[in-house]
């Protein structure tokens, strides 16, 4: 059956949304409609952050499959060797069922390229799946380590060679033959190098020198990485540079651009098509940045270089990714956000090691970006250790770590339910249950929180009722596959049930006369928390806050209407990320300037009065200002101050057309430079929390609160108040949606163009005026020039801005026309689905609307 109103039959979701969908289908009795579940990146099940969520979703599917075919489990016992085992019974006599006749359970297809061989059988056994393994790679991949004066290639089993050695393309064959014999070692600046399992291929590239880059922050190992990227770009090949920090991405991108601009390298080959693609990319970046693009990003883009990290706006990241795929960008410096889940293949991958540890699994994900069929004949992955800044001994250690990383085997995949341990630390890669098999499990243990989430989902959906169901649910988890983990898993599960029933009052036991047994049932509070899909801890706190709002109201304006309004700040305060309870992060938790915050409260009467109503007192900020930081004993009190600051910053961003002033004001309070991408990420996380809080309120029966939260979520998603929703809807279009920004929508709305239809029918000159006003009003560079009095290029800049505004207006009008055409096509399709217009109720009104 279709999944939605437009006859959808396939849903592509995140892990979190997939878990919610499975629970809802089971609750509604529609799980049999789900025929297949495809899981990409199965190794995420061992991730300490998101692994438990994926395990929840698959465990619920396995749990339902066992119940559907009448399989039950008895508590495990010890066999003759003392190992714990379990007995499985089925409620019928046919125990030789095949995979095709085991009941109406969906088929699970799971895939991963970074699962160790030791874990494959366990994963297949957990999912009751057939195992298919292949090492086929259409494009051969060779792995290198740039250490000292030479490039070392990984040699041995698993390295595919095609024709001559790949390094022949980068150096004369006669030079290669003179250094490839490493039987006696290679003399480098660190002494004689011998590396088992590696062979020397060529000297480290010397295309660039540190003097040519002329930047103090460019370290010696950075010069090697930049040289490798520039070398590939000279041949017209693409390179991904994985950097250990966001700042490093920008530094290295500017270094490559400087080398190209100052002639340190010969000109990278370009064509008219590439030049046009780069010009279009710059236009997209201007629009994506609401008219205020990063100067560094615009500078490097012109030379086919880009950088990518989490603090960029979402549309900026999309534009950069598209530019790299189309060939407009040849070098992209990025963080590990592009290591998995994004289709950005490159001829060469350069991985810089730094302060943060790179695991073998992460390395495989990054190296796997190198080489793609149809784009290049080979793939190359280079690891560059962080050397040259310390002593010889320290540098040798870092180089040893680089060789060990490339040659390391993948670790065994472990259940995310049992990670991390109680103290949050791992010791020697051994699970806590293996190091302390008899340790007690407290209710503050993270695994108790995760098992409580799973138990609540199954109790609420009606599949977990009895003690036998509890054993069956545990057996459906991946953690149950390790016998030594079962005692700890069982204790943690018991603690989770006690927490849900005694501490949180989310589930309770009831007598069932028909069966004569006691069964678990969810309370009204438990149903509401489950509907939110939030973690139990966060949902419980939010429930209490919303219950207080349902009883006492939400503060939207002063008691005296003439004094002013609070707006949505109270609603935003409820949904902003909470310290240590939410998946999101509040940037005001990093550093906080209590003196600036005290000044804001003193100068903003609306914010001060709202804080007083929420028991956020000015005197607390005053005391923290004097001491320089909040008292750790009152961290909950000071967390509310930081959350109110975040809510006020979001409210300013929604209501104000001046993003520069908003960021300047709240950066001072946060104590760190708030970038546009950081504010956008905070807004998106608040929007997600608002949507889930709306579901919680609706399930609890607080309809008015749910309505307000739902509207707030929609506005946060759009990045503007709901009167702009019709215009901002254009931005969701895949082809031309980048032309509509919130700033442009706000200016169009002020000029009376309040719908896409009105924009499509307006003259381009009228739209150009609104576009110019929106882009100029929020441009950082223009404002800085106006403040410094730099009028040297005023006329030229004004002429260029006018031309850009006319071109942007043409594209914006075209985007609105396409948006209206698609909207009308959807209306006609729905009308044809419903039948002849004459058979509808209220046919006259419908005809007029059509």
């Amino acid at each position: 059956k279709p999944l939605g109103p437009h006859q959808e039959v396939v849903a592509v979701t995140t892990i979190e949304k997939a878990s919610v969908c499975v629970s809802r289908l089971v609750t509604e009795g529609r799980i049999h409609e789900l025929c297949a579940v495809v899981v990409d990146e199965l190794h995420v099940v061992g991730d300490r952050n998101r692994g438990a969520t994926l395990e929840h979703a698959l465990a619920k599917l396995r749990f339902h499959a066992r119940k559907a075919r009448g399989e039950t489990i008895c508590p495990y016992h010890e066999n003759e060797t003392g190992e714990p085992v379990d007995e499985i019974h089925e409620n019928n006599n046919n125990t030789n069922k095949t995979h095709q006749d085991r009941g109406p359970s969906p088929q699970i297809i799971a895939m991963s390229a970074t699962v160790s061989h030791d874990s494959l059988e366990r994963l297949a056994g957990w999912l009751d799946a057939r195992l298919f393994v292949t090492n086929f790679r259409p494009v051969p991949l060779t792995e290198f380590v740039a250490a000292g004066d030479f490039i070392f290639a990984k040699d041995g089993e698993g390295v595919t060679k095609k024709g001559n050695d790949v390094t022949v393309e980068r150096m004369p064959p006669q030079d290669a033959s003179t250094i490839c014999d490493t039987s006696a070692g290679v003399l480098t600046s660190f002494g004689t190098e011998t590396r088992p399992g590696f062979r020397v291929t060529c000297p480290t590239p010397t295309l660039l020198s540190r003097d040519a880059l002329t930047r103090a922050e460019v370290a010696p190992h950075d010069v090697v990485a930049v040289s490798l990227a520039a070398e590939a770009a000279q041949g017209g090949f693409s390179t991904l540079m994985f950097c250990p920090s966001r700042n490093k991405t920008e530094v290295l991108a500017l270094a490559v651009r400087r080398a190209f601009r100052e002639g340190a390298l010969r000109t990278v080959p370009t064509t008219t098509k590439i030049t046009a693609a780069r010009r279009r990319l710059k236009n997209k970046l201007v629009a994506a940045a609401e008219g205020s693009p990063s100067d560094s990003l615009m500078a490097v883009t012109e030379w086919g270089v880009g950088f990518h990290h989490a603090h960029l706006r979402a549309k900026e990241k999309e534009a950069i990714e598209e530019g790299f795929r189309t060939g407009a960008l040849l070098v992209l410096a990025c963080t590990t956000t592009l290591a998995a889940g994004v289709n950005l293949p490159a001829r060469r991958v350069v991985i810089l090691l730094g302060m943060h540890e790179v695991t073998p699994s992460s390395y495989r994900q990054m190296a796997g970006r190198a080489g793609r069929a149809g784009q290049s004949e080979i793939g190359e992955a280079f690891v560059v250790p962080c050397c040259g800044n310390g002593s010889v001994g320290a540098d040798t250690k870092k180089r040893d770590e680089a060789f060990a990383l490339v040659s390391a085997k993948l670790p065994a995949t472990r259940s995310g339910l049992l990670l991390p341990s109680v103290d949050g630390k791992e010791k020697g890669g051994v699970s806590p249950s293996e190091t302390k098999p008899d340790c007690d499990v407290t209710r503050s243990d993270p695994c108790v929180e995760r098992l409580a989430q799973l138990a609540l989902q199954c109790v609420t959906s009606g599949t977990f009722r009895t003690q036998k169901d509890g054993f069956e649910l545990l057996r459906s988890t991946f953690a149950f596959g390790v016998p030594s983990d079962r005692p700890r898993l069982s204790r943690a599960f018991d603690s989770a049930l006690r927490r849900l029933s005694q501490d949180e009052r989310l589930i309770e036991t009831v007598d069932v006369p028909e069966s004569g047994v006691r069964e678990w049932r969810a309370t009204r509070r438990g149903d509401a928390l489950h509907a939110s899909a939030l973690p139990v801890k966060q949902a419980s706190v939010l429930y209490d806050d919303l219950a207080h709002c349902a009883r006492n109201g939400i503060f939207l304006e002063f008691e005296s209407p003439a004094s002013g309004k609070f707006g949505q700040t109270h609603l935003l305060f409820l949904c902003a990320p909470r310290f240590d309870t939410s998946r999101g992060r509040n940037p005001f938790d990093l550093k906080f300037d209590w003196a600036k915050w005290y000044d804001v409260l003193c100068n903003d009467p609306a914010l001060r009065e709202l804080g007083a109503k929420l028991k956020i007192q000015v005197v607390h900020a005053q005391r923290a200002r004097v001491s320089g930081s909040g008292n750790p004993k009152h961290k909950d009190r000071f967390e509310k101050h930081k959350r109110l600051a975040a809510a006020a910053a979001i409210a300013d961003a929604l209501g104000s057309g001046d993003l520069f002033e908003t960021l300047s004001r709240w950066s001072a309070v946060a104590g760190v430079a708030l970038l546009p991408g950081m504010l956008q990420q905070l807004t998106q996380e608040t929007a997600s929390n608002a949507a889930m809080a709306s579901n919680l309120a609706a399930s609890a029966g607080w309809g008015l609160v749910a309505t307000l939260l739902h509207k707030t979520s929609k506005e946060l998603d759009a990045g503007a108040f709901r009167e702009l929703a019709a215009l901002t809807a254009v931005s969701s279009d895949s082809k031309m949606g980048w032309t509509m920004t919130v700033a442009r929508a706000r200016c169009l709305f002020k000029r009376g163009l309040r719908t896409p239809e009105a924009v499509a029918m307006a003259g381009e000159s009228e739209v150009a005026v609104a576009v110019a006003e929106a882009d100029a009003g929020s441009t950082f560079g223009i404002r800085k020039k106006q403040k410094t009095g730099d009028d040297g290029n005023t006329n030229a800049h004004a002429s260029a801005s006018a031309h850009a505004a006319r071109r942007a207006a043409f594209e914006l009008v075209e985007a609105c026309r396409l948006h209206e055409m698609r909207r009308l096509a959807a209306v006609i399709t729905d009308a044809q689905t419903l039948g002849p217009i004459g058979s509808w109720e209220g046919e006259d009104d419908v005809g007029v609307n059509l």
Side-chain angles (χ1 to χ4, degrees), residues 208 213 215-230 239-260 296 300 304-309 331-335 350-353 384:
L208 301 173
L213 299 178
R215 289 290 289 267
E217 58 266 35
V218 179
H221 58 276
D222 295 335
V223 176
V224 176
V226 172
S227 297
L228 289 169
T239 300
L240 278 175
M241 302 173 64
F242 287 100
C243 304
S245 65
R246 290 186 293 267
N247 180 62
K248 182 66 73 174
T249 63
E250 185 173 348
V251 168
L252 293 188
L254 288 171
V256 176
R257 174 248 188 186
R258 193 176 303 110
F260 290 159
S296 299
V300 299
V305 185
F307 57 86
H308 186 292
H309 54 71
V331 180
L332 181 57
C334 59
T335 56
V350 180
I351 304 169
L352 284 88
L353 303 183
V384 181

Side-chain angles (χ1 to χ4, degrees), residues 2 45 54 57 84 103 155 173 187 228 232 247 336 642 732 744 749 821:
V45 75
L54 177 58
D155 199 4
L187 183 63
L228 289 169
N247 180 62
T336 54
K642 296 175 182 179
S732 61
R744 292 177 179 179
F749 188 87
M821 291 173 60

